[in-house]
Amino acid sequence: MGHHVTLPSNESVQLPAGHRLRRFPLIFGVVGVLCLAGSWFAAGGDHKAFYHSYLTAFLFGLSIALGALFFTLFQHAASAGWSVVVRRVAENLMAPLPIFALLFIPLWFGRHDLYHWTDLEHVAHDPVLLGKQGFLNEGFWMVRAAIYFGLWTLMSWWFRSKSIRQDSEGGTALSRLMQMRSYPAIMAFALTISFAAIDWGMSLDPHWYSTMWGVYYFAGSIVSAFAMLGFSVLLMQRWGLLQGIVTKDHFHDIGKLVFAFTVFWAYIAFSQYFLIWYANIPEETSFFHRRAVNTWYVLGIYLMIGHFGLPFFFLMGRTLKKIPWSLALGCVWIITFHYLDLYYVVMPNVHKSGITASLVDGLTAIGVLSIYIALAAWFLGKAALIPQKDPRLPESLAFQNF
Amino acid sequence: MSEPATRIYTEADQLADPIAERAPLVLGGYDFHSVTEVVAAVVDQKAPRAWWIALFASMSLLGIYGVSVAWLVWEGTGVWGLNNPVFWGWAIVNFVFWVGIGHAGTLISAILFLFRQKWRTGINRAAEAMTLFAVVCALSFPTIHVGRIWLLYWAIPLPNQMDAWPNFRSPLVWDFFAVSIYGTVSLLFWYTGLIPDLATMRDRARTKWKRLIYGFFALGWRGSNRHWQNYEAAYLILAALATPLVLSVHSIVSFDFATSQLPGWHTTIFPPYFVAGAIFSGFGMVMTLMVPSREWFGLKNLITIRHLENMAKIILLTGCIVGYAYAMEFFIAWYSGNPYEQFAFMNRMFGPYAWAYWTMVSCNVISPQLFWFKWCRTTPWFLFVVSIFVNIGMWFERFVIVVSSLSADFLVSSWDYYSPTIWDVGCFVGSFGLFFTLYTLFVRFVPQVALAEVKSVMPEADPHFEGYSHGGGQPPVASSAAPSTSEANSDHVETAPFGEPVAAVVTSIDGDQSDGDSADNENGSEGEVE
């Protein structure tokens, strides 16, 4: 069916020369580097605490970028029409993925502080860890990390550059090509994100295991990426971009996705907790037992309310999803709680008696997020703000929710 | 509009997979009226001999079910092949199998509705009916499995003199609630969607009794704007309520196993893995039913090759998710360092039930991979064959989970091999009789394609469809587009879609008032339709 729309002009979908987003890469880049450097000194020699805080921040930033990658892949796979006007923003949010390979280097230096399976002396006296040595050993761990970053870099670069090429070439051939490649890419994505979650998150407590773990990290990743996408587009619109291109109906849809995946996260988190609680097998309950003390217990309750209960009711109706400030509030809320969720996963391994919030936590989180934002903003300025010759653009521009 | 109103779409248009526009969902040049005629013909006409043969065959199988269940109730569950340690056998396998199949209907009608997947309209009615019948089959198995079925009501928390209550901590009680709620909501949802179509059937009825019965169930539907508004609101709310049920029911079924401590049953990925498997098997069964249905009932222009291809894609996706879960379970069993876990999975692969395990893997993980090829996704007979494999594979999945874990439990001295008896087979095969009897009756008495919904996704239903007045003629994105003059000036009287059917698919026609009404109101706000 035809869509009665006029395509936006080329000038209206470029980031203007003096736009404040043009200053983001420099500002956030400097802030990010300063915060990360400062966090090292703020830790004051407590390397164990520093590396755990840093890992939390790393997994946090990475999860948003990975979620954006998944969003992009899935729009191609499902030949989605509505999302074309926001797809470039998602592509810019996934584009910084290669930087995480660089940000991974500190984890290599901190591996002994983070992962006690790297301590061969200890492993030699632990039959369970001895049995896992075929998987949990430093060499293979690094090889796997290289594979993950290699594939993520390849996927984020390829899908973004092909999409940009379509801006000049137009036509349907590139759409078909991206759709074809999106299927194997999604399979690679599913395996890499699951095993990355196992390598960097689950193996913090190498005795513990859960088949749900990969899905759990994925669930948090996808919901925070949707929230980040929504927030980015809202901000861009507030600053005069994408006017008349992204409409209430698109925001409504992004809001619905944030809502749906908030529920999905809760479903996955509940299923994992519930099955472990019910069966009550000591090998498995150790994870929640460690988090059932003192303020960690309180944080667990807060996660239930804040990562599920409140946003569930807040984002359910259509009104609040269509008002920019309330959707923005929902998005920031979800991203914040996603950080707390990862905090709940990582930090009890070092602060065993309860939450010990410190400046280092804040500085590492702001540092990694700032570097991520700086790069995403840099990529934003490098190409048109929407895939302007995507054959489905008219459909997306005409999109209405009814 | 890029296409003239009289364009007749064919399968080739769909298979070309246009990127810039959406492939048509209704082929053969049907207009609103011919859609009604084609679908209602199955119900209106005298039942053909083939239908009687199908009914007779289904009822014969149902008879086997009746005999098997009667003997079971008379004699007790000892007639099955259950032994110690395999206390759960085919009955629970069949229960999970049928509940799983039931999931596709609700996914198609509720989740795909929320995702605005317009192609769902061609198949949602039949898929949801199939869901209801699958749930009936599923519920029959726990019912007969309790042994003393006259005490089944004990599962309901009724206040009683003995102060005996069901154990609310038992997943089996959750099952009772989950499946009952699922059945109820699915029925309500299905019925709500049926109301406009029942009114169409009422208005077409040629005998008094038909008119009375369809009229009773049509709840006085007249197709007024107010009716449509209430209907749309109810439909959306029911879809929202049914959506979590798609996830919750099979999650709770998975809890039957996963809350235990038995290696091979207790694993945290079970809930989403079971849900994916349920959707996988459900789409397998929808495919098994739709491929012959569209052929026999002449519905190829409504349940098109595109619908089949989309279902094949979902089968491929869910098959891969199931494959992921198998792999993750296997990996974590090794990674856990727990020798019991490790044994359970090695025993599945290479133990006495290895034949069942590899049947499962071949059918569930390998056979859907054929759907990477377009030919496989768009060749009906091939889809039918693979869908049978999917059904087989998913039955074996439950068999592998239930039996292989139980038969080799914690005490080696009590290990035993499970073999079914003739009565196990009778109950299972017979349950297909129940299913197909209900389905055969359904296609005869209810329009098996959702008429009103299919019409809503046809080009004519678009308020901006060529030939309709536009009022102000405002395009969807007001800020960026100028009013289209060619649209406003087009002569809507001559090209109105209510003319004669374009393709010669329809014979003679009675008056079809409600049909016209439904079409009008599908077009959106009042005043846009002449």
Side-chain angles (χ1 to χ4, degrees), chain A residues 104 108 111 117 137-147 199:
Chain A
F104 181 74
W108 166 255
R111 65 194 185 282
W117 52 262
N137 63 71
E138 288 182 29
F140 192 26
W141 186 72
M142 279 307 290
V143 169
R144 287 196 303 273
I147 293 172
D199 278 357

Side-chain angles (χ1 to χ4, degrees), chain B residues 9 53-54 65 125 128 135 158 165 174 182 216 229 238 299 356-357 365 388 392 397 455 479 497 523:
Chain B
Y9 290 107
I53 294 172
Y65 191 56
R125 170 71 45 74
E128 222 179 325
V135 169
L158 293 169
W165 296 89
W174 310 338
Y182 184 59
F216 176 78
Q229 279 190 338
L238 281 168
L299 300 172
Y357 181 85
V365 184
I388 298 289
I392 295 172
E397 180 193 295
K455 289 171 192 169
S479 62
N523 280 307

Side-chain angles (χ1 to χ4, degrees), chain A residues 238-260:
Chain A
R238 192 177 168 78
W239 288 344
L241 304 170
L242 302 175
Q243 299 289 347
I245 293 172
V246 179
T247 64
K248 254 183 201 172
D249 290 296
H250 298 104
F251 286 123
H252 186 196
D253 261 22
I254 295 173
K256 283 189 273 189
L257 285 168
V258 176
F259 172 75

Side-chain angles (χ1 to χ4, degrees), chain A residues 112-135:
Chain A
H112 295 305
D113 287 313
L114 289 165
Y115 306 107
H116 75 253
W117 52 262
T118 55
D119 180 356
L120 294 178
E121 190 91 343
H122 176 83
V123 171
H125 299 102
D126 189 328
V128 175
L129 293 188
L130 214 50
K132 299 184 190 196
Q133 228 179 358
F135 184 77

Side-chain angles (χ1 to χ4, degrees), chain B residues 225-238:
Chain B
N225 192 28
R226 179 180 298 223
H227 284 179
W228 277 111
Q229 279 190 338
N230 289 336
Y231 166 87
E232 297 276 351
Y235 201 83
L236 183 63
I237 290 170
L238 281 168

Side-chain angles (χ1 to χ4, degrees), chain B residues 3 24 32 66 160-161 170 201 212 214 228 233 277 282 351-352 355 388 406 420 430 433 437 439 441 456 461 522 530:
Chain B
E3 306 293 347
F32 287 165
N160 58 77
Q161 280 177 312
S170 162
M201 299 315 294
L212 279 175
Y214 282 121
W228 277 111
W355 59 274
I388 298 289
L406 279 177
T437 303
Y439 195 81
L441 292 172
S456 75
E522 282 296 334
E530 289 293 319

Side-chain angles (χ1 to χ4, degrees), chain A residues 39-40 79 106 120 153 161 240 299 315 369:
Chain A
S39 66
W40 173 258
S79 21
L120 294 178
T153 303
S161 64
L299 180 58
L315 290 169
L369 197 62

